[in-house]
Amino acid sequence: MSLTPLLVPTFGQMLTTLSAWLDKAQAQLPADEAQALLSARLAPDMFPLATQIRFACVQAQEAIARLRGEAFPASRDLLLEEGRNAGEQPGSLADAQARIAQTVALLDALAPDALDAAAGSSIAHELPNGMVFDLTAEQYARDWTLPQFYFHLMTAYAILRAQKVDLGKADYVSHMFAYLRPGTMPQG
């Protein structure tokens, strides 16, 4: 499995999509209501939107570092700190957009094969609670980082929908329109 063409475009296009959702929310709602979205949650025991955005970025940044055998960038630590404290300090929509843009820029700066050398390597993935998962790089990509990334992304989508932001399936898969065969878009 080539990890770079699997992960980098996926992270990049979906973070760009997340940014577009935030733009759409800002366009649909008064400024104070749009800002309040960052504190919205699906359930009282879940993190708010501000955290979901940051943790989606964390997954992309951690994957890059882990699969390259590098130390985590300082930006990842900042994202974790902000995300963990977002219930009390959600930041602004501009802050959220900046975190997304910073992560997309990290992805865009990678070489076309930046993560591929790691494909057969082993990763010991330790969680803050002390649990350690021993995975190959492929297992880490498939079974950890992509599911975690999509969990935070889809939770952000669900929060926005629950808060009456007009989003639909086309907003979720907007990257697919690049592949649309001409003349096949339904009319009406």
Side-chain angles (χ1 to χ4, degrees):
M1 177 185 299
S2 295
L3 297 177
T4 307
L6 171 67
L7 295 175
V8 174
T10 299
F11 291 147
Q13 69 194 17
M14 294 312 296
L15 287 170
T16 300
T17 296
L18 175 58
S19 178
W21 299 342
L22 297 178
D23 288 340
K24 200 166 183 180
Q26 283 188 283
Q28 292 176 18
L29 300 171
D32 60 332
E33 289 180 35
Q35 181 61 37
L37 290 171
L38 291 171
S39 296
R41 301 167 189 257
L42 285 180
D45 64 341
M46 291 182 75
F47 284 120
L49 177 62
T51 301
Q52 303 303 334
I53 293 164
R54 283 161 176 83
F55 285 4
C57 292
V58 165
Q59 289 304 316
Q61 290 191 21
E62 280 190 4
I64 292 167
R66 279 187 204 285
L67 294 170
R68 294 181 75 182
E70 299 174 350
F72 294 130
S75 57
R76 174 262 192 186
D77 295 337
L78 176 64
L79 287 165
L80 282 173
E81 181 180 332
E82 287 178 350
R84 290 177 182 138
N85 296 316
E88 297 79 36
Q89 299 172 337
S92 68
L93 285 166
D95 295 334
Q97 291 283 25
R99 301 309 180 257
I100 294 168
Q102 178 183 37
T103 304
V104 171
L106 288 171
L107 294 163
D108 288 346
L110 293 173
D113 62 349
L115 310 178
D116 296 344
S121 64
S122 296
I123 293 177
H125 181 51
E126 186 171 347
L127 300 181
N129 66 6
M131 293 171 53
V132 179
F133 295 97
D134 292 315
L135 307 157
T136 66
E138 289 178 2
Q139 290 166 331
Y140 169 77
R142 181 191 66 224
D143 300 336
W144 179 265
T145 200
L146 282 176
Q148 291 294 316
F149 175 76
Y150 276 106
F151 173 84
H152 295 296
L153 186 80
M154 288 314 304
T155 302
Y157 179 89
I159 290 169
L160 291 168
R161 286 295 310 261
Q163 296 298 311
K164 310 294 190 248
V165 176
D166 184 21
L167 296 173
K169 185 73 170 248
D171 296 296
Y172 179 71
V173 295
S174 60
H175 60 278
M176 291 300 298
F177 290 106
Y179 308 111
L180 184 66
R181 182 179 292 169
T184 63
M185 176 69 89
Q187 302 299 315

